[in-house]
């Protein structure tokens, strides 16, 4: 498997969701035939994800400030797509948002086949604000719950 070696674009990425969770949170688990991923079509934007750690501090009376890193946060944010109530991926998103705290599996596939798997909670599914001459959009709020499983593009 190879990784891209130049500037890569998000253009052409495809986004999929599964209501089924993997048996294991690794490449083998996510690529199991038990998981059926349904595409979320017409995605306009998708939040950043990946580990980020908060920094804590301790200030002793004598000496310099000591710093330490906290637990990783794998990301959160909103994604936007065209409002298509019959789209299979959006049906799963809407059901997940209506069910408090259920986890979903997301698969992000780049045009070269590079793939990221995410364990997420969809914490919101709202119609965006209406404006003249703008499309009807849905905004989903994602909370990434586990480490991202990255699979390099096939060679």
């Amino acid at each position: 498997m190879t990784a891209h070696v130049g500037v890569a674009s998000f253009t052409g990425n495809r986004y999929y969701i599964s209501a089924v969770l993997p048996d294991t949170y690794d490449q083998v688990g996510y690529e199991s035939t038990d998981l059926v991923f349904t595409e979320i079509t017409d995605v306009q934007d998708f939040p950043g994800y990946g580990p980020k750690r908060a920094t804590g501090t301790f200030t002793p009376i004598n000496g310099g400030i000591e710093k330490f890193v906290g637990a990783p946060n794998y990301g959160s944010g909103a994604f936007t797509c065209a409002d298509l109530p019959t789209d299979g991926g959006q049906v799963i998103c809407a059901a997940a948002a209506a069910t408090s705290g259920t986890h979903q599996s997301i698969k992000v596939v780049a045009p070269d086949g590079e793939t990221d798997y995410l364990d997420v909670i969809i914490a919101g599914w709202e119609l965006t604000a209406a404006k003249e001459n703008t499309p009807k959009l849905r905004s989903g709020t994602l909370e990434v719950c586990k480490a991202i499983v990255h699979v390099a593009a096939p060679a």
Side-chain angles (χ1 to χ4, degrees), residues 59-85:
T59 307
I61 292 174
N62 294 314
I65 294 173
E66 297 178 27
K67 296 183 180 181
F68 56 91
V69 294
N73 182 339
Y74 297 107
S76 63
F79 72 96
T80 307
C81 54
D83 179 44
L84 302 170

Side-chain angles (χ1 to χ4, degrees), residues 100-122:
S100 178
T102 61
H103 289 240
Q104 313 298 315
S105 298
I106 295 248
K107 176 169 79 168
V108 180
V109 182
D112 66 358
E114 184 177 76
T115 303
D116 288 333
Y117 294 100
L118 293 74
D119 175 72
V120 304
I121 293 172
I122 298 184

Side-chain angles (χ1 to χ4, degrees), residues 36-101:
V36 175
F37 284 95
T38 303
E39 186 169 8
I40 305 167
T41 58
D42 291 330
V43 174
Q44 179 175 289
D45 56 49
F46 198 81
Y49 52 86
K52 183 176 13 175
R53 295 175 181 263
T55 303
T57 61
F58 169 72
T59 307
I61 292 174
N62 294 314
I65 294 173
E66 297 178 27
K67 296 183 180 181
F68 56 91
V69 294
N73 182 339
Y74 297 107
S76 63
F79 72 96
T80 307
C81 54
D83 179 44
L84 302 170
T86 60
D87 175 80
Q90 291 188 32
V91 168
I92 295 170
C93 290
T99 309
S100 178

